[in-house]
């Protein structure tokens, strides 16, 4: 599906067949495209790049399409990687986490650190973390394929 170019987000690089590869939702999703382009929030003289997930209702482009600055996309990827790594050994804890020390990691970024932690403010965390772990295991092949691809591309880039 052709991504619109007449809206505030200006696509530069696109994946217009994303609906075919959207994980469990492939071929049955409203997320029809991905793009990297000029952000809709750009002010005169300031240019930011953003990533956008384009959602289509079947009749029109949805206002629920999401646009994120590239650094946030990468921060989410870091969060996914750290979370996936943590859950490989989470079975060691009775509740899949240590209630006395819910911080999983502090990832150094920009002279500070992004904290990765179990959300103990969630009143149903003990139940939700079990469900989360189960879903992560069930989606292991989908996530693993994407992480392997990301690792390969990062190696090709020299990282």
């Amino acid at each position: 599906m052709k991504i619109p170019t007449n809206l505030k987000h200006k696509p530069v690089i696109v994946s217009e067949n994303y609906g075919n590869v959207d994980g469990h939702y492939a071929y049955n999703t409203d997320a029809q495209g991905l793009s990297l382009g000029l952000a809709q929030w750009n002010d005169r003289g300031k240019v930011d790049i953003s990533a956008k997930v384009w959602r289509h209702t079947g009749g029109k482009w949805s206002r629920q399409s999401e646009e994120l600055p590239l650094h946030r996309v990468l921060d989410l990827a870091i969060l996914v990687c750290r979370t996936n790594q943590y859950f490989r050994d989470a079975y060691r804890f009775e509740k899949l986490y240590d209630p006395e020390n819910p911080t999983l990691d502090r990832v150094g970024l920009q002279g500070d650190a992004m904290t990765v932690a179990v959300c103990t403010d969630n009143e149903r965390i003990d139940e939700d973390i079990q469900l989360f772990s189960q879903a992560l295991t069930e989606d292991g092949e989908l996530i693993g394929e994407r992480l392997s691809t990301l690792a390969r591309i990062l190696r090709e880039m020299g990282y």
Side-chain angles (χ1 to χ4, degrees):
M1 180 170 285
K2 286 293 198 191
I3 289 173
T5 57
N6 61 331
L7 302 176
K8 289 185 179 181
H9 171 87
K10 299 299 182 193
V12 175
I13 305 295
V14 298
S15 173
E16 294 182 323
N17 69 334
Y18 184 70
N20 298 350
V21 296
D22 187 17
H24 292 294
Y25 310 108
Y27 299 102
N28 189 25
T29 182
D30 66 343
Q32 293 298 309
L34 301 178
S35 67
L36 300 179
L38 304 181
Q40 66 185 14
W41 60 80
N42 282 331
D43 293 326
R44 199 183 258 323
K46 184 176 189 298
V47 177
D48 287 329
I49 296 173
S50 66
K52 187 159 186 164
V53 177
W54 293 88
R55 296 182 176 280
H56 198 277
T57 65
K60 64 180 182 174
W61 290 103
S62 172
R63 283 186 255 151
Q64 291 184 342
S65 297
E66 300 102 350
E67 184 176 26
L68 292 171
L70 288 187
H71 73 274
R72 289 187 189 149
V73 173
L74 295 172
D75 291 345
L76 283 170
I78 292 166
L79 185 62
V80 168
C81 290
R82 279 294 181 230
T83 299
N84 199 36
Q85 183 180 30
Y86 171 79
F87 274 93
R88 289 180 179 177
D89 295 324
Y91 67 88
R92 296 179 295 133
F93 299 105
E94 180 182 344
K95 295 183 172 192
L96 296 182
Y97 72 102
D98 180 356
E100 300 300 315
N101 185 19
T103 299
L104 310 180
D105 197 3
R106 299 241 325 131
V107 180
L109 297 168
Q110 290 180 242
D112 201 337
M114 177 174 70
T115 301
V116 179
V118 173
C119 183
T120 55
D121 291 340
N122 175 348
E123 62 187 37
R124 298 177 65 134
I125 189 60
D126 292 347
E127 177 185 344
D128 289 351
I129 198 168
Q130 295 285 336
L131 294 170
F132 184 94
S133 179
Q134 181 181 348
L136 194 60
T137 298
E138 289 171 2
D139 287 348
E141 186 176 343
L142 280 172
I143 295 167
E145 176 185 29
R146 285 154 171 81
L147 290 175
S148 292
T149 300
L150 181 59
R152 178 182 50 79
I153 292 169
L154 287 169
R155 281 191 303 274
E156 289 172 4
M157 292 174 63
Y159 290 99

